[in-house]
Amino acid sequence: MQAATSSVRATAIPSVTDALRAVESVLLSRGQRTARRNAWTSVLEDRRRAKDRTDAQHVLEAVATRTS
């Protein structure tokens, strides 16, 4: 007896990010999407700069305690 074969289709399950982008494209105009993405990019850049400032402050404090 021969085993039954069936075709299996591999379909990608959309990620949460993909789903949110799809909803965003329906609800927001192109200009609003661009503005939102630019704002988020600015937030991420501000966080990176704040981390860099904190790291630099720790280095300066460490050097100051060694020299005193």
Side-chain angles (χ1 to χ4, degrees):
M1 185 170 224
Q2 195 174 19
T5 59
S6 64
S7 63
V8 176
R9 291 185 184 179
T11 56
I13 299 172
S15 68
V16 172
T17 303
D18 293 337
L20 290 174
R21 285 196 177 150
V23 169
E24 175 189 60
S25 69
V26 171
L27 297 177
L28 301 177
S29 71
R30 183 173 177 91
Q32 289 173 324
R33 285 194 311 256
T34 301
R36 188 192 60 75
R37 287 189 182 135
N38 288 344
W40 183 244
T41 300
S42 294
V43 167
L44 295 177
E45 184 63 20
D46 287 345
R47 288 178 181 175
R48 186 195 61 78
R49 282 195 300 266
K51 182 183 180 306
D52 289 347
R53 280 192 304 271
T54 302
D55 292 347
Q57 181 181 359
H58 290 153
V59 168
L60 291 173
E61 289 171 355
V63 169
T65 56
R66 279 191 216 156
T67 58
S68 21

